[in-house]
Amino acid sequence: MSGAVLIFRDVTERRRLARDLEQREEQFRTLAESIPQLCWMARADGHIYWYNRRWYDYTGTTLEQMEGWGWQSVHDPEVLPAVMKRWQASIEHGEPFEKVFPLKGADRRFRDFLTRVTPVKDDIGITRWFGTNTEISIITKTQQELREREQELRTLTDNTPDILTRFDRQLRHVFVNAAIERVTGRQPSELVGKTNRELDFPAELCDMWDVATRKVFETASPQWIEFRFVGPAGPRDFITQLIPEKEIDGRILHVLAVSHDRTVELAAQTALQDADRKKDEFLATLAHELRNPLAPIRTGLHVLQRSQDLGLTRRTQEMMSRQLGHMVRLIDDLLDVSRITSGKVILRKERVTLRAIVESSIEATRSLLEAAEHKLRVDLPNEPLWLDVDATRISQVLSNLLTNAAKYSPDQASISLAARQEGDQIVVSVSDNGVGIPRDMLTQVFDMFAQVNKTLDRAQGGLGIGLSLAKRLIEMHGGSIGATSAGEDCGSTFTFRLPAAAPRMGTQAPLESGISSGPSLRALVIDDNIDAAEALAALLQLLGHETSVATSGPAGLAMAIDAEPQVIFLDIGMPGMNGFEVASRLRAMPGAPRSILVAVTGWGSEDDRKKAKEAGFDFHLTKPTDDAELEAILAQVQEKAERSAPG
């Protein structure tokens, strides 16, 4: 008998488990669709079978494109091999992994994502993989920008000359820039985490800093302190502002100190104040020095008006001439300093002997030396010492040194002038046994307006510019000058050095005076200053010349055409029609006489002389006129008149 065996199995639990699994997976997918990350699931072998909507939205792909291993298409080809290697290792070993790599979006741009992959396991093993991709490109960009800003800030703080340091509430340095090393000799890292006291800074400085820093923490108000710090760079003066650094809630977290080095600034202020003081002293001295010769000149005028004594008249005239010469020298020194400073002095170099310069300088200072009964000893070698120099300028330097020696030595003092050749240099020294120079003034005596002894200077006369002028002139010739002294009342020695020149072959013909007694000339003086015009006319008449005067440009132009003078002395700075215009019109006028034109002016620079020549002038005299220059010009005009005379 055949039969059937029926086996009944209870599948209720299996169906329940299946329903629970489906329900949980649905819940997972609902959750996965709601989070901002890109999500996906893969089988145990790594085959991805599901992506959330955000994946498709970002990549712009479809399920068909992503099925299986299609996800490789949204990876950077250069990075994909590393991603595959890491993914395969996880599949093989069942390990989770985490890695940052770029994914391509629908706009075809790559952005950085942090990918986390986790295996899902049961009793048998891995059943699936769950993965998320979190975009971190904004975080990465922000971090990169933060690093760049930090680097920029570090570059800025380490290259600023100011010292920047940040303090915490325990008064410790939490940040210091590189400028600290220049002042303290310590690296910033040596200061961080320590207080000023722990760094063994001077106690008085620590007290000042501690009080000011605590006050900022307590009041939230900036504080200022000024101090001097002595370090490897020497003493430096600082001004520091302490600034509160607040949190969002207003609490003060740190105090930032910005320390500015004011050493150079304070030195400049001191120098400016010193220069201003010297300027005031100079102006007072200038007024004094100009009044000194003016007083006897005015007195002399009164004497000449009242006296009939020929001897007294002669002596008064000699005195007035000396005082006028003193004023002219003062003004010339001022003009020379201005011209040298502005680079307008042109040296007229020639081959000359030092002896000729020495003789000229001694002659220029003879009256001063003789008045004080000084004994001048001159020590020159027998053989000539040759120089390529502007003889007038070097004579001016030597005269200045002799004048100083005479002024600052007691009566009947000994003064010596010595010269020698050392190698390729000529060395000239002027020594005296006078007031001497304090040691701290030796480097300053050549400064503009410097005066070693103000009382003596003012008593003896001087503007404090002579030595500065001498130094500049010597340096313009490629030489050097210096001073030595054992101290006050021990005398002084000034020495200058100049390049030696090769000896000149043969002898030099003696110079002639240029003053001759030629024929009488027809002269015209044109000057709006009536006193100056009549004085010059009177001098010309005394020299034997027929002279007329015009006191304006138009009047002078008319007289020049009518009288046909052989020489015209023409003032430049006249109102209306100035001297340049008069000269230009005379030279341009057809049939006008070819008179010798002499510019007589207070403007005496090289530019002024050049401008006068371009306007048609033949000669240039600077006021007050020098008699020798005037007579030399007249001699040349007389010589020209003799050559052109008939017969």
Side-chain angles (χ1 to χ4, degrees):
M1 177 179 176
S2 63
V5 179
L6 297 177
I7 300 174
F8 295 94
R9 293 183 179 176
D10 189 350
V11 296
T12 303
E13 183 63 22
R14 181 180 297 177
R15 288 178 179 176
R16 187 183 65 79
L17 291 174
R19 285 197 304 271
D20 287 346
L21 181 61
E22 289 177 3
Q23 185 178 4
R24 289 177 182 177
E25 189 164 320
E26 183 62 30
Q27 290 173 345
F28 164 75
R29 293 188 181 187
T30 301
L31 177 63
E33 291 290 0
S34 65
I35 62 177
Q37 286 87 357
L38 313 184
C39 297
W40 48 269
M41 286 190 294
R43 293 195 294 265
D45 60 0
H47 182 95
I48 298 177
Y49 64 89
W50 177 85
Y51 298 89
N52 70 346
R53 173 49 52 188
R54 291 190 181 277
W55 173 279
Y56 296 119
D57 290 342
Y58 172 75
T59 61
T61 60
T62 63
L63 175 61
E64 290 75 16
Q65 293 172 315
M66 294 293 97
E67 186 69 27
W69 299 89
W71 53 269
Q72 298 181 49
S73 63
V74 299
H75 281 68
D76 185 341
E78 295 183 3
V79 180
L80 182 59
V83 174
M84 289 296 299
K85 182 177 180 181
R86 186 67 187 86
W87 180 214
Q88 289 169 354
S90 289
I91 294 172
E92 180 179 350
H93 300 290
E95 298 174 346
F97 81 85
E98 184 176 293
K99 187 175 181 62
V100 175
F101 52 81
L103 290 178
K104 183 168 62 177
D107 57 2
R108 308 190 66 77
R109 292 173 56 190
F110 284 96
R111 296 174 179 83
D112 287 335
F113 282 80
L114 172 62
T115 296
R116 291 189 177 94
V117 179
T118 304
V120 179
K121 302 179 180 179
D122 60 12
D123 295 339
I124 300 174
I126 295 175
T127 60
R128 70 188 74 182
W129 294 87
F130 175 65
T132 61
N133 304 92
T134 305
E135 184 178 355
I136 60 170
S137 57
I138 296 178
I139 298 174
T140 303
K141 182 179 180 182
T142 302
Q143 290 175 338
Q144 178 61 28
E145 289 177 350
L146 181 60
R147 286 192 294 270
E148 291 174 356
R149 296 297 86 77
E150 288 177 346
Q151 182 59 42
E152 290 173 0
L153 181 61
R154 172 58 69 176
T155 301
L156 177 64
T157 57
D158 282 347
N159 287 278
T160 181
D162 292 340
I163 299 174
L164 306 179
T165 185
R166 180 178 287 121
F167 293 94
D168 63 15
R169 286 185 168 273
Q170 286 70 46
L171 307 185
R172 294 184 299 242
H173 296 264
V174 295
F175 166 81
V176 187
N177 70 336
I180 196 70
E181 183 179 0
R182 184 180 65 254
V183 177
T184 66
R186 300 183 180 185
Q187 295 285 340
S189 58
E190 297 179 55
L191 279 74
V192 172
K194 297 180 181 178
T195 65
N196 287 333
R197 295 184 189 280
E198 292 171 340
L199 293 165
D200 293 326
F201 287 151
E204 63 274 13
L205 285 185
C206 293
D207 292 342
M208 181 190 301
W209 275 83
D210 290 356
V211 169
T213 307
R214 287 195 178 101
K215 192 168 184 178
V216 177
F217 276 116
E218 293 168 1
T219 66
S221 299
Q223 299 293 316
W224 292 87
I225 56 175
E226 296 184 27
F227 62 94
R228 169 167 286 195
F229 183 84
V230 181
R236 312 295 296 180
D237 294 297
F238 290 89
I239 181 169
T240 297
Q241 183 180 19
L242 296 121
I243 307 165
E245 291 186 338
K246 300 180 181 180
E247 291 280 54
I248 297 176
D249 60 6
R251 187 172 60 92
I252 299 175
L253 183 63
H254 296 115
V255 170
L256 176 66
V258 182
S259 300
H260 176 65
D261 189 338
R262 301 181 63 211
T263 308
V264 175
E265 179 183 330
L266 291 177
Q269 289 178 0
T270 302
L272 184 61
Q273 292 168 354
D274 187 54
D276 192 55
R277 176 185 57 78
K278 287 183 178 179
K279 180 260 298 180
D280 291 340
E281 291 177 355
F282 165 72
L283 290 176
T285 304
L286 176 61
H288 175 273
E289 292 304 318
L290 291 178
R291 288 191 185 104
N292 272 347
L294 283 174
I297 289 174
R298 171 176 283 183
T299 303
L301 288 173
H302 292 316
V303 171
L304 293 178
Q305 290 169 355
R306 291 171 171 75
S307 176
Q308 301 298 321
D309 185 335
L310 294 180
L312 178 60
T313 298
R314 185 179 66 257
R315 292 194 301 275
T316 301
Q317 289 173 337
E318 291 173 351
M319 176 273 295
M320 293 173 68
S321 178
R322 286 194 303 273
Q323 294 301 320
L324 180 61
H326 178 59
M327 279 190 68
V328 170
R329 284 193 297 275
L330 287 175
I331 294 170
D332 283 346
D333 279 352
L334 284 172
L335 293 175
D336 280 340
V337 169
S338 175
R339 291 167 188 157
I340 290 175
T341 302
S342 59
K344 293 182 178 179
V345 167
I346 299 176
L347 299 179
R348 296 180 175 86
K349 292 187 177 182
E350 57 181 328
R351 186 69 56 85
V352 295
T353 64
L354 178 63
R355 184 176 294 276
I357 292 175
V358 169
E359 290 174 353
S360 173
S361 302
I362 293 174
E363 183 61 32
T365 56
R366 186 180 302 280
S367 61
L368 183 62
L369 294 167
E370 292 176 350
E373 300 182 2
H374 292 315
K375 300 176 183 63
L376 176 64
R377 184 170 63 86
V378 180
D379 183 10
L380 299 178
N382 294 327
E383 65 278 5
L385 302 177
W386 292 91
L387 297 163
D388 280 328
V389 295
D390 186 323
T392 301
R393 293 299 186 181
I394 300 304
S395 178
Q396 182 181 357
V397 170
L398 192 51
S399 297
N400 180 283
L401 298 183
L402 288 171
T403 297
N404 278 359
K407 284 165 50 178
Y408 301 127
S409 296
D411 290 351
Q412 301 181 351
S414 295
I415 298 172
S416 64
L417 188 162
R420 64 189 183 278
Q421 182 162 355
E422 292 183 359
D424 59 354
Q425 289 187 324
I426 303 298
V427 183
V428 182
S429 298
V430 175
S431 301
D432 62 67
N433 55 3
V435 299
I437 305 172
R439 188 174 302 276
D440 60 345
M441 285 293 296
L442 283 174
T443 58
Q444 301 178 37
V445 291
F446 295 100
D447 293 344
M448 187 71 71
F449 310 138
Q451 296 179 331
V452 175
N453 185 319
K454 297 179 176 62
T455 302
L456 183 62
D457 242 358
R458 293 189 178 185
Q460 298 292 339
L463 297 178
I465 62 175
L467 290 177
S468 175
L469 180 61
K471 182 175 185 291
R472 297 185 186 209
L473 287 172
I474 290 296
E475 290 175 348
M476 287 178 68
H477 284 82
S480 61
I481 187 170
T484 58
S485 175
E488 293 188 54
D489 300 321
C490 295
S492 57
T493 299
F494 287 85
T495 303
F496 65 82
R497 298 170 178 268
L498 290 170
R504 171 175 284 179
M505 302 304 294
T507 59
Q508 189 174 9
L511 295 175
E512 298 182 358
S513 66
I515 302 175
S516 64
S517 57
S520 175
L521 299 172
R522 296 185 308 279
L524 171 62
V525 178
I526 307 174
D527 196 327
D528 65 304
N529 187 319
I530 298 175
D531 289 341
E534 291 181 348
L536 180 55
L539 178 59
L540 292 170
Q541 289 169 359
L542 288 173
L543 293 173
H545 304 295
E546 178 186 340
T547 309
S548 54
V549 173
T551 57
S552 70
L557 187 61
M559 291 181 68
I561 296 172
D562 293 340
E564 296 187 356
Q566 293 162 293
V567 59
I568 300 175
F569 293 90
L570 180 53
D571 180 38
I572 299 298
M574 295 185 293
M577 183 185 295
N578 63 34
F580 289 133
E581 189 173 352
V582 173
S584 298
R585 290 195 182 191
L586 274 176
R587 293 304 189 219
M589 191 178 297
R594 181 64 189 180
S595 305
I596 298 297
L597 296 182
V598 182
V600 184
T601 175
W603 304 100
S605 70
E606 292 300 324
D607 287 344
D608 296 322
R609 294 176 183 274
K610 181 180 178 182
K611 193 174 180 180
K613 185 175 182 180
E614 291 172 350
F617 285 94
D618 301 288
F619 297 98
H620 187 284
L621 285 176
T622 304
K623 294 179 180 179
T625 57
D626 181 80
D627 290 351
E629 286 187 80
L630 175 65
E631 292 181 359
I633 291 173
L634 291 171
Q636 293 186 51
V637 179
Q638 288 172 321
E639 183 181 349
K640 179 180 178 182
E642 287 179 334
R643 288 199 305 267
S644 60

